[in-house]
Structure formats: C-alpha cells, structure tokens
Amino acid sequence: MTTASLAPAVAATDARAAFQHALRRELHASGVTAQTATIATAPLLMRAAAAACRELLGQRWADTQAADAVRGARAEVRRVHYLSMEFLMGRALGNALAALKLDDTLREAFAAQGQSLPDVLEREPDAALGNGGLGRLAACFLDSFAELGLPSFGYGLRYQYGMFAQGIQDGRQVEAPDDWLALGNPWEVMRPELRYPVGFGGHVEVRADGSRRWMPAEALVATAYDFIVPAHHSARVSTLRQWHAQAAAPIDFAAFCRGEHHAAAAHRVAADALNWVLYPDDSTESGRTLRLKQEAFLVSASLQDLIARHLRETGSLQGLGRANAIHLNDTHPALAPAELMRLLLDDHGLSWDEAWAITREAVSYTNHTLMPEALETWPVRMFEALLPRHLELIYEINRRFLDDVALRFPGDVALLRRVSLIDEGQGEDGNGHGHGERRVRMAALSIVASHRVNGVAALHSELMVQTIFADYARIFPCRFHNVTNGVTPRRWLQQANPALSALLDARIGTGWRQRLDELERVKPLAADVEFGEQLQAVKRANKLRLAARIQRELGVAVNVDSLFDVQIKRIHEYKRQLLNVLHVISRYQAIVANPDGDWVPRTVVIAGKAASAYVTAKSIIQLTHDVARVIASDPRVGDRLRLVFLPNYGVSLAETIIPAADLSEQISTAGTEASGTGNMKFALNGALTIGTWDGANIEMAQAFGERNMFTFGLRTEQVDALKRAGYEPRQVVEQNPTLRAVIDAIARGDFSQGDAGRYRALVDKLLGEDVYLLMADFADYLRAQAEVDTLFRDRQAWAARVALNIAGMGMFSSDRTIEEYIDRVWSVKSLG
C-alpha cells in the first residue's frame, strides 16, 4: 500500500442497515411504498440502489479527501492528477456493491420486490465517457488508485453522447448519439462550488510593466461533476472529476425580445457543444477546432482545480510540483505544460524560472503509439486564433529548449529542426491535414516539459526511443522508461467472471483479488485433470450466456461446443480485423471444398467501432457482415463455422464476451500495437492467445511460456527488413493459391451479391501497398490457426494450457502498473 488505508467507515452490519435505510428512502421518494413495492420496475430499483450506494460512498469520499488534505509537505507520494480525454468506466452498480460487500443485501431486497439482481444490473447504461483501450486503461487505473490508497484525481470531460452508438443497417455501420444521460446519471455528484473560467480567442495585452495578459473573446465556465470509484479492500475511494462546459454569459435578452431566439443563445449552444461528443470528427475544420477546444478546456479546468486545492491546503505555490504530479495520458492533454505556465506566470505572478521548475517537476507523459500520424499536431494558425497566449509560451519554451540543444550539439542544424516544438512545414504532415503549414508538435511539448516519459510495454518503450523519439532520447537519455500496462482483477475477473473467480477462490484462496501474483499457485493445477474439467465447465457456462445473447440480439444460433474465436477492439487497419476475415473466408472455402472433412467447429466473434470518418474501417465491417451472411446461408457449412459481428461494443458487452472466449485474437502488425490490454483480459479469463510478437503479447508469452501462445508472423526487425527490401504484396498472393482464392473471391463479388466494385478499394490496398503486411503474414497465420485446431481437439491438453496461461498473468494487474508509476514517476524520490 502506498499510503495508510482508511479504516472501514462503518461495520459491515451498520453498512447494510444504512444501505437498506437509504434504499427505502429512495424508493419512497419515487412513490414506492410497502404497499406498492411489488410493482417497482427494474430501472427504478437500479436508480434507487445507485443513489443508496452513492450515499455510502459519499462518506468514504469525504473521509478520503480529509485524510489526503492533512498528509503534509513531507508525504512520500505526491497527489496524482491523471489527465485523460476518456475514461471507459462501464457500469458502476455491480462494482459498488462488490466493494461495499452488499451484493447479498441487494439480492434479497430485489427478490422481495419480484426482481432479480442480474436483471436490475442490466438496466444501467454504460457511462459513455470513453471508447477504447486508452479509456479503459484509465478506468482500471482509477480502481487501482483507490485500491492502493493513492491520493489522486482522474480528470476528464462529461460527454453527453459519448463517441456514438453503433448500429448496423444492411451490414453497414451507422452512428447515432449515445444518449446515456437521457434519464440522468445517479452516480455523479455535481460540485457547483467548483467553477472555473476558461477562455478562447481574443488577444494578448501588454501591460505598462511589460507583463502580458490574455484577454479571451469567448468566456466559458467549467463545472465539476464527480464520479466516485471505490476500493474493494479498504474504505478508500478515488475520484473521476469530469468537467461540463457552459457559456459564462446569459442569453442576449435584447435579441431574444426581437424574436432572434437562435441568435440570442448561439454562444450557449457553442459552449454546450464541447460536451456533446468524444473525439469529434476531425475531417472538417470545425471538427478539428472543436477537438482542440475540448483538450484546452479539460486542461485549463483541471489545472485551476489543482492550484486552488494546493493553495487551500498550503497557502503558497511553493512546493506545488513536489506535492502534485500531473500525468498526461497520451498527447490529448499535452497543452498542460503551456497552461500551467500561463497560470503561474500571468495569474500568480511567478518568474519564468520558478514556473518552469514547478512545471518540470509536476508533469509526466505516457506515450501510447508508435505511429507518427497518431501524434497530435495542430496548425499554428489555429493556436493563433484560439490560444494566442499559449502559442507565445510554446514559442518561448521552444526557444529556450533549442538554445540548450544548440549548446550541447553545436552545428547540428538538422537536429534542431527535427526536435523543434514547431514543425515549419518542410516535411510530411502526419495528420493528413494542411500539408506544408506550420504546426505545433504536442508530443514534443510533452517530452520537453516532462521529467519522465514512458511507453506501455517493453517492446513499445524500446522502439519508442529507437524510432519516433530517438532524437529526444539522445538529448534526454535518463527521461525515458517503460511501465507495462495492466488491468484490474476486480472488474475483469471478479466481476466479469464470477464462476471462474469462485473456482479460483476454492482452489487457491481469495488473495489474488488484491495481489494478482498469487495466480502463480494455479500452475501446479495444470496437471490436475479435475481442475481442467472444472475450468471447461466454467467456460461452457459462459459460452452459453454469450450464445443466448447472440441469439437474442442477432437471431443467429451458434454451436456452444465450437471454438469461440474472438477479436474485440476498435476497428483499425493495423489491428488487422481484415486478416481475421480473410482466414474465415479461407476456412469457409476449405469446408465447401471438403464438406465431409473432420472440421473443428468455430464461432468467430468480432466487435468494435470504426471512427465515423474512417472509410476503410467501415468497409471492413461491411465485408465482415457480407461474409457472415454467405456462410450462414450455405447448407454445406452447417454449424461448423459462424462469423458474428456484435454491434455497439463497450465495457458491458466485453464483460459477456471475454469470459466466453476460447481463443483471443491479438494479431496487429509487429511494431504497431503499443501494449494492448484486451490480450490481458482474455488470458486472465482462460482464453489462449493467437498473436504476433507485438506489444504486451511478448511479455505475456514470456510470463507463461511462448509455447503456450500461438505466435505467428514477421517480427519487428523482419517487418523493417521486408519494407526496406521492397515489399511486393501482389507477388505474395500469386505464390499462395489459398490466399489468391480468398482475394479473388472478394474481388469477384462472391460475398457482395456479384457487386465486384464494393470492395475494390480494399483489394487494391492489399495488392498495392499492404501497409500492415496482411499478405505477408497470411500463410503463417493459417499455420498457427491449424495448431489451434489440433490442440482444441485434445480437451485435457487445452485445459492444461489454459491453466498455465492464467497462472502466468500475475504481473498484468493494474495495481502492479500503478506501483511502478509511484516508484519511478509520482513519488517525491523520483524527482531526485
């Protein structure tokens, strides 16, 4: 534990009594009395239970904040402020009940009113505050912050409609607002006393004394909403503080009276738009502007909150950087160094050296990608229009940085150009927008201002300093390090897979819930035939649950005794869902060619959202549906092969899919996936992995033995060598009859009702550049899939390997991840 845990706020019996009282009060307030209790609806019960839990958690929150406020300046661990554009929280009620040890109490209360606990839990919508792995990692970290007793705040935005709700029409993705707040959010606590001004546009005023002051043209107010995340083994909680934007000015009353109603409130609508959608489509200028405003709004409100809290507790800005850590979860909050400097210089009157010393102590940065195009850059002209004072400060940070580099590396003008915070527009524009214009490099700002920079898996961190950040690593050789990602076992095993959790409890005890490395005690059980049968019984029950959902939502019957082969993640070319579909097509063709063969039945499940403007990713989703339709309608296949796409992927859907998976598809091109956390969740739940030597797959294979993972494909150095030699994907296809048959079938329109043009762009990409080397890895992927079939036929051998996988997952807890961040980044000793 990093700090002393709070003692439990009340005894367990008192907690149950308090909860029952609060629940009765909430139900009564909703019109449910003892006489009408049996007609209480599941949604009403869910909201009442959430309100009752929130009341208990509110006391824990107050106790936690009070304890953290008196830690004093000599505390060994700094208070962490984790800035992230997304927190993919999922449902909260089940987690709260488990943490409060109130599952049985609520089960009895609901049963008395004719409702089951699972049915009520299903009525809670997923909090639409994130999209993919970045946001779910942040949510796991909040759980570990609480579990480890870390003084902390997570900071994000309060999105009203999430990214989008994904629907499927005629096999095509369609997007709609995810109106998750339509009935309110019983978990959030509005903090009206926490309101901070945030501005945009305007100009910088030079005062008589030479000081500079930003005079924004647009004035917003950020209001805080708190979401409380409880520990499971103490009374500690962590806080997700979300910001909601409002216009500072009321309506234009004169315009309203003239009948110009829209004009009277236009500024209020513009402010409200900051809260509408996570990651606005940046294919338009207005979308890019909105995204930059969201990032600036998050950063400004969060840092103002941090400074106000520090001043309340200490009365001085002295020591702010040594008492507080500001962590940037990727480049989205990379404006933090510039905004912190602005606040310290302009609002609080510190000198440049004082402000920069605080900034460098406080700020740290996690990079999540090796793709240059994914490192945010913004046009200088956009900064000039929206954030003129920040641009001045970035110029000054850059000037001082480049002066230092020039002294250390005299005469290396090319190095200065490469590491400058400003891309002068001489080379490629990584974002694909406005080629040739001057741009601010946000990753560079994050590196220069941070005292520590990390990657999220061993390979990723190694490649990070060898490729995209090689120059910065040369300048700051001690600044870079690795912290491999992890997932919380409370959500991703205890909550998602209660049957497996109970089996582990019975065999090795409950300690793994708090110290995941206790899973090592499963290793000797790999040779236990009875344990293997128990593992398979748990898996089959979970597969039955998923099969029922597939039947209910899609009307598709799947063979529950088939191998459940699963790939769930955002749809992107580098994650290679298309390679998965190509394998399904080749398997289909092989079954049709030999319908009497001894085939291992497979159910292939894919889920994930494609960004609304990502045409290729949306085409992959459509192809998946077209292939699934052809397979399902072919009587020669029977139940030996099914391809299923489950729409609107999110945390709750993942909690149903992951425990049911036999095989986890982690098949990104080597050197492209930073880490992955889905790979960890699957293995923790007893799925074997088929994967490339990429991201955290490598460390997982090393943990439980490479022979226990189905590895395939080119490795990073081979990928680089192949590209340097001149890769010819068309030649690869011509030399592989199985692959050629697959590509020809797509090109002919075999899966698109004869429409040969529908997937022409996909085929041309594969035969032309094939940037992510699907053609090069296809043959080895099929070899590995054949190994999967062979092992799955031997139930005992498969179960033994499952046990070894679970036993090796001890290091992949987010608790271990956070302990490493504390030791190397967030502790006072990390500052030297």
Side-chain angles (χ1 to χ4, degrees):
M1 302 289 281
T2 60
T3 63
S5 299
L6 293 173
V10 289
T13 54
D14 291 339
R16 285 194 293 270
F19 175 79
Q20 289 167 338
H21 175 74
L23 181 62
R24 285 193 297 270
R25 187 183 64 246
E26 293 295 332
L27 290 173
H28 183 73
S30 301
V32 178
T33 65
Q35 290 73 34
T36 63
T38 55
I39 63 171
T41 64
L44 188 153
L45 289 172
M46 182 276 295
R47 295 178 62 79
C53 286
R54 195 186 73 182
E55 183 174 321
L56 296 181
L57 294 177
Q59 183 58 54
R60 292 189 176 192
W61 184 89
D63 293 342
T64 298
Q65 295 308 309
D68 290 350
V70 299
R71 293 177 307 125
R74 299 179 65 84
E76 295 180 0
V77 179
R78 300 184 289 165
R79 182 184 273 125
V80 174
H81 304 78
Y82 194 83
L83 276 59
S84 179
M85 283 299 286
E86 50 175 305
F87 289 85
L88 194 57
M89 302 303 298
R91 292 169 175 160
L93 181 55
N95 186 57
L97 292 175
L100 293 167
K101 309 297 189 290
L102 291 169
D103 309 66
D104 292 340
T105 299
L106 199 57
R107 187 176 289 107
E108 293 169 6
F110 288 169
Q113 298 180 49
Q115 299 284 352
S116 72
L117 178 59
D119 287 344
V120 174
L121 294 178
E122 281 293 317
R123 299 308 180 108
E124 181 182 0
D126 276 32
L129 302 172
N131 173 47
L134 184 80
R136 186 51 231 176
L137 180 74
C140 285
F141 282 5
L142 289 176
D143 177 275
S144 289
F145 289 172
E147 193 71 13
L148 296 175
L150 178 67
S152 60
F153 280 84
Y155 281 114
L157 294 184
R158 182 177 179 262
Y159 303 107
Q160 292 178 272
Y161 305 114
M163 187 169 172
F164 58 80
Q166 181 192 53
I168 302 295
Q169 292 182 1
D170 298 325
R172 296 178 175 86
Q173 172 179 294
V174 292
E175 302 91 25
D178 186 354
D179 198 7
W180 74 286
L181 288 173
L183 300 177
N185 179 8
W187 292 105
E188 66 185 11
V189 181
M190 185 181 181
R191 306 289 186 190
E193 73 280 8
L194 298 177
R195 293 165 59 84
Y196 301 102
V198 180
F200 294 105
H203 65 280
V204 178
E205 182 181 275
V206 182
R207 303 277 176 88
D209 62 358
S211 64
R212 307 180 74 82
R213 187 78 174 182
W214 181 26
M215 309 299 291
E218 181 182 3
L220 305 181
V221 173
T223 302
Y225 287 77
D226 284 353
F227 186 108
I228 302 169
V229 181
H232 284 244
H233 297 91
S234 77
R236 292 279 308 192
V237 300
S238 66
T239 307
L240 169 58
R241 180 155 289 173
Q242 306 159 76
W243 299 110
H244 189 92
Q246 296 173 301
I251 63 170
D252 183 338
F253 196 70
F256 185 84
C257 291
R258 292 194 301 269
E260 300 170 5
H261 300 157
H262 294 294
H267 63 295
R268 301 187 71 82
V269 174
D272 200 38
L274 267 72
N275 299 109
W276 285 348
V277 175
L278 166 67
Y279 302 143
D281 183 349
D282 64 354
S283 63
T284 65
E285 182 73 8
S286 59
R288 291 190 289 276
T289 298
L290 180 57
R291 187 178 289 203
L292 179 58
K293 290 178 73 173
Q294 285 182 328
E295 294 178 1
F297 182 80
L298 164 65
V299 162
S300 181
S302 303
L303 295 183
Q304 289 182 71
D305 191 48
L306 181 161
I307 291 172
R309 184 184 307 106
H310 183 78
L311 288 174
R312 281 197 309 272
E313 293 178 358
T314 69
S316 168
L317 288 176
Q318 184 177 5
L320 185 146
R322 295 188 71 81
N324 298 278
I326 300 167
H327 199 87
L328 313 181
N329 190 28
D330 220 359
T331 53
H332 306 127
L335 270 167
E339 173 65 0
L340 184 57
M341 290 294 290
R342 184 189 73 81
L343 292 169
L344 296 176
L345 293 170
D346 299 356
D347 290 4
H348 295 280
L350 270 62
S351 70
W352 181 276
D353 289 344
E354 291 172 323
W356 186 243
I358 288 173
T359 299
R360 284 273 292 106
E361 282 185 331
V363 176
S364 51
Y365 162 51
T366 295
N367 170 268
H368 287 276
T369 182
L370 292 170
M371 299 182 186
E373 66 270 20
L375 299 176
E376 281 193 330
T377 65
W378 294 104
V380 166
R381 59 175 172 77
M382 195 174 287
F383 263 80
E384 290 172 335
L386 291 176
L387 302 164
R389 179 59 175 146
H390 297 77
L391 184 60
E392 287 185 345
L393 293 168
I394 290 169
Y395 280 154
E396 181 61 14
I397 293 169
N398 195 41
R399 182 189 69 78
R400 291 170 181 249
F401 167 59
L402 292 182
D403 284 350
D404 181 63
V405 174
L407 285 173
R408 293 176 56 192
F409 302 92
D412 196 340
V413 177
L415 174 65
L416 295 178
R417 184 173 61 251
R418 292 195 304 270
V419 301
S420 172
L421 306 190
I422 307 298
D423 180 350
E424 298 295 342
Q426 306 285 323
E428 283 289 326
D429 166 19
N431 288 337
H433 307 303
H435 174 70
E437 65 179 335
R438 300 175 71 230
R439 305 180 74 87
V440 182
R441 294 166 167 158
M442 305 309 290
L445 175 60
S446 301
I447 294 169
V448 170
S450 294
H451 74 288
R452 296 291 270 165
V453 178
N454 71 279
V456 290
L459 176 64
H460 169 233
S461 296
E462 179 183 340
L463 293 174
M464 186 175 69
V465 299
Q466 292 175 355
T467 58
I468 56 173
F469 297 149
D471 289 319
Y472 300 102
R474 179 183 171 200
I475 296 167
F476 306 119
C478 297
R479 193 165 295 185
F480 293 84
H481 67 120
N482 174 63
V483 182
T484 297
N485 283 342
V487 300
T488 167
R490 271 81 59 184
R491 169 75 67 162
W492 292 110
L493 187 47
Q494 175 181 315
Q495 185 172 325
N497 202 339
L500 180 56
S501 299
L503 176 58
L504 293 173
D505 289 347
R507 288 298 194 123
I508 66 170
T510 61
W512 61 267
R513 297 169 184 251
Q514 195 169 9
R515 298 297 310 182
L516 196 61
D517 52 11
E518 291 201 13
L519 289 179
E520 291 177 357
R521 296 171 61 190
V522 173
K523 190 172 183 178
L525 298 175
D528 185 330
V529 175
E530 181 186 9
F531 181 68
E533 291 173 349
Q534 291 171 329
L535 281 176
Q536 292 190 331
V538 166
K539 181 65 68 175
R540 194 173 193 279
N542 290 328
K543 290 166 75 171
L544 282 167
R545 183 167 64 126
L546 177 58
R549 181 163 185 164
I550 293 170
Q551 177 72 61
R552 183 173 66 250
E553 295 187 4
L554 303 180
V556 175
V558 300
N559 179 359
V560 75
D561 293 313
S562 65
L563 186 153
F564 277 29
D565 177 353
V566 178
Q567 187 177 20
I568 49 175
K569 51 189 75 218
R570 65 187 172 96
I571 310 299
H572 195 288
E573 289 171 272
Y574 89 84
K575 293 181 182 290
R576 302 204 296 191
Q577 286 91 352
L578 184 53
L579 179 60
N580 190 351
V581 174
L582 297 181
H583 163 245
V584 172
I585 294 172
S586 73
R587 182 172 287 260
Y588 165 66
Q589 291 176 331
I591 292 173
V592 169
N594 182 20
D596 297 324
D598 183 21
W599 297 100
V600 173
R602 283 227 190 184
T603 298
V604 179
V605 177
I606 297 177
K609 295 179 181 179
S612 58
Y614 194 169
V615 175
T616 300
K618 295 174 87 167
S619 182
I620 292 169
I621 290 176
Q622 187 178 6
L623 176 62
T624 301
H625 282 87
D626 279 346
V627 171
R629 174 182 46 79
V630 170
I631 292 173
S633 62
D634 193 327
R636 294 170 294 182
V637 175
D639 66 354
R640 291 172 294 184
L641 182 62
R642 282 289 180 273
L643 175 59
V644 173
F645 187 97
L646 281 165
N648 209 31
Y649 176 59
V651 175
S652 296
L653 181 55
E655 288 175 328
T656 299
I657 295 175
I658 289 173
D662 293 305
L663 186 68
S664 163
E665 297 271 351
Q666 308 297 330
I667 59 177
S668 54
T669 312
T672 59
E673 184 70 81
S675 170
T677 53
N679 46 6
M680 302 172 191
K681 295 163 193 165
F682 279 109
L684 195 59
N685 281 272
L688 302 188
T689 303
I690 182 168
T692 49
W693 205 243
D694 195 28
N697 290 355
I698 300 170
E699 288 156 276
M700 287 169 54
Q702 292 167 342
F704 51 65
E706 186 178 347
R707 67 176 300 275
N708 295 314
M709 180 184 287
F710 302 102
T711 58
F712 76 95
L714 299 171
R715 299 202 175 186
T716 305
E717 62 276 11
Q718 295 171 315
V719 168
D720 293 339
L722 179 61
K723 289 183 175 181
R724 286 195 303 270
Y727 173 48
E728 294 289 346
R730 190 180 297 272
Q731 187 176 13
V732 175
V733 174
E734 290 303 319
Q735 293 173 351
N736 186 327
T738 301
L739 177 56
R740 185 170 66 248
V742 170
I743 298 299
D744 287 348
I746 298 172
R748 282 194 307 266
D750 288 8
F751 301 101
S752 50
Q753 299 172 316
D755 181 0
R758 183 177 298 177
Y759 299 113
R760 185 178 304 279
L762 275 184
V763 171
D764 287 348
K765 271 194 167 190
L766 292 176
L767 296 179
E769 294 181 273
D770 188 22
V771 173
Y772 297 108
L773 306 182
L774 281 71
M775 304 296 92
D777 277 350
F778 178 83
D780 204 32
Y781 182 46
L782 262 62
R783 175 203 54 77
Q785 291 286 12
E787 289 183 6
V788 171
D789 286 340
T790 299
L791 187 66
F792 194 73
R793 294 178 192 276
D794 187 338
R795 287 175 52 84
Q796 187 174 332
W798 183 276
R801 194 170 293 188
V802 166
L804 291 172
N805 273 240
I806 294 172
M809 291 304 294
M811 76 159 281
F812 298 99
S813 168
S814 53
D815 296 347
R816 186 270 314 154
T817 304
I818 297 306
E819 286 172 340
E820 291 187 11
Y821 275 115
I822 291 168
D823 182 57
R824 293 191 237 134
V825 186
W826 300 335
S827 62
V828 173
K829 75 172 186 178
S830 72
L831 300 175

